[in-house]
Amino acid sequence: MSYQKPRIMQDYRDLFWSLIPLVLICLVIAAIASQCSFSADGPTPGKIPNFDVHAALRDDAGTLPFPIREPALPEGWQPNSGSRDTVSGNGGGAASTVGYITPQGTYMQLTQSAATADALANHLLGTRARGGTQQIGDRSWTVYHVEGSEPAWVSDFGAVRVLVKGAGNQEAYKTLAGAAGAAQPISP
């Protein structure tokens, strides 16, 4: 007959000794699958996904019912993502979004849409209020913000509204907004 302690006599040491085999099994499986690594210096940045922003925006220009622009960004800006979305509700419409990693390693997003500025801002940002303007070149950008959160800049280009947002600094916003403002619509 095996000896078993009554439950009332079990404590944290029993739990600790029963978890050790499970932890060892998990570590062995992770090592075999090569899914774990250790870096004494902390996390290292991963590889930025390769995304063909030119092809994606050209496709959007041929498909979506509003003019699409491809900003000419300086060296070091790497496109990493893109998507299409629909802004629902009053003043809504289709939206084209591309994302970039700045030379500083932060993410910036450029969204173009036929939706109204307020509908676009509400769809992408939730409840943010207008909080001033920025003048970049000959374009005025309305700043939407909430305290403690990243801002978004929206400008009306006539048939299309352009929204810039992300984790970048003020210079990253100015660079992306300026490049979008200077870009000509793509011919499908």
Side-chain angles (χ1 to χ4, degrees):
M1 176 179 233
S2 68
Y3 170 74
Q4 227 179 350
K5 280 196 225 177
R7 277 188 82 65
I8 192 82
M9 301 292 289
Q10 293 178 353
D11 60 7
Y12 68 92
R13 288 177 293 207
D14 296 309
L15 177 64
F16 175 77
W17 287 111
S18 65
L19 287 177
I20 285 180
L22 294 174
V23 170
L24 289 175
I25 290 170
C26 289
L27 289 175
V28 168
I29 291 172
I32 290 171
S34 299
Q35 295 298 309
C36 290
S37 64
F38 176 76
S39 175
D41 298 329
T44 56
K47 184 177 182 275
I48 297 172
N50 186 19
F51 180 74
D52 188 352
V53 71
H54 179 71
L57 291 176
R58 182 163 296 287
D59 185 50
D60 286 350
T63 305
L64 298 174
F66 54 87
I68 296 286
R69 291 167 169 77
E70 180 179 357
L73 292 163
E75 187 72 28
W77 282 69
Q78 297 179 354
N80 76 329
S81 59
S83 66
R84 286 188 196 157
D85 195 7
T86 301
V87 178
S88 58
N90 193 21
S96 167
T97 299
V98 290
Y100 298 91
I101 302 298
T102 67
Q104 294 77 31
T106 57
Y107 175 78
M108 293 297 294
Q109 172 182 318
L110 174 73
T111 300
Q112 303 175 66
S113 177
T116 64
D118 286 336
L120 180 61
N122 286 334
H123 177 75
L124 293 176
L125 308 170
T127 56
R128 293 192 188 195
R130 293 177 183 219
T133 60
Q134 287 284 331
Q135 189 69 33
I136 308 296
D138 61 348
R139 295 223 175 262
S140 178
W141 295 79
T142 302
V143 178
Y144 289 80
H145 65 86
V146 167
E147 190 64 36
S149 183
E150 61 193 29
W153 296 6
V154 179
S155 185
D156 191 333
F157 284 53
V160 65
R161 261 59 57 211
V162 176
L163 180 140
V164 172
K165 74 173 194 152
N169 58 18
Q170 184 81 358
E171 194 57 39
Y173 274 83
K174 288 180 179 179
T175 299
L176 186 53
Q184 294 300 313
I186 297 171
S187 300

